[in-house]
Amino acid sequence: MDSAEYEGKIASRFAAFDQDGSGYIDREDFSGAAAALLAEFGTTARSDKGQALYSGAEAFWQGMAGIADVDGDQRVSRQEFVTGAVKRLRDNPRRFAEIARPFLRAAIAIADEDGGGVTRAAAERALRVLGIGEEAAAQAAVELDADGDGRIHEEEILTGFAAFYVTPEP
């Protein structure tokens, strides 16, 4: 992968976090993502699942800010994201997934409508509402189902999340 391709991949990952398009990743992006997921799956914010999702979003934000917000301004610029959230975690991509685990676990509980694991269709819906394009969301939903059983489970999501957001440099 050449440098321009790498920069493009990082930019797309940054854009996926920058839910409001402000040019920065901040707490509001995480709470906005939680609100969008709740709306998509018809879950109220005051329910146990809704509260868990908001709590997970806050924990995810705190983890990312702790790694990437170098100047302490409570927002992560694209450059901070590249150097902090990507390069620092390059050698341990699972660490990034662990930071996201409370949010991902709560999102799974919302998208897993029958308790058997998240269906590909539900995963695709969740990804689209989080800003992933339709084609990319459909492809990701298939790829996330690593064991091919038609259901996506927590470990598959964590592995896929780590692989997607922590891209190796060229």
Side-chain angles (χ1 to χ4, degrees), residues 5 35 61 64 66 79 89 105 107 125 133 138 144-145 155:
E5 185 180 5
W61 160 245
M64 179 180 283
Q79 188 58 48
L89 300 172
R105 182 173 282 152
R125 284 173 55 202
L144 283 171
D145 184 15
E155 283 307 311

Side-chain angles (χ1 to χ4, degrees), residues 53-157:
L53 188 63
Y54 276 112
S55 182
E58 177 62 21
F60 192 4
W61 160 245
Q62 290 294 327
M64 179 180 283
I67 288 170
D69 183 17
V70 177
D71 62 11
D73 66 355
Q74 291 299 299
R75 59 187 192 171
V76 175
S77 69
R78 183 179 181 281
Q79 188 58 48
E80 286 175 319
F81 181 79
V82 170
T83 58
V86 177
K87 289 183 180 178
R88 281 190 195 170
L89 300 172
R90 176 183 54 217
D91 296 331
N92 187 3
R94 292 289 298 184
R95 181 171 174 221
F96 197 49
E98 290 304 320
I99 291 167
R101 187 185 287 269
F103 177 77
L104 294 174
R105 182 173 282 152
I108 290 165
I110 288 166
D112 182 357
E113 298 170 305
D114 65 5
V118 178
T119 64
R120 289 179 184 172
E124 189 175 336
R125 284 173 55 202
L127 291 167
R128 280 195 328 264
V129 82
L130 292 174
I132 306 300
E134 193 170 325
E135 265 186 53
Q139 180 179 347
V142 170
E143 290 173 6
L144 283 171
D145 184 15
D147 62 8
D149 69 353
R151 298 294 179 128
I152 304 165
H153 304 281
E154 184 174 328
E155 283 307 311
E156 291 171 313
I157 290 172

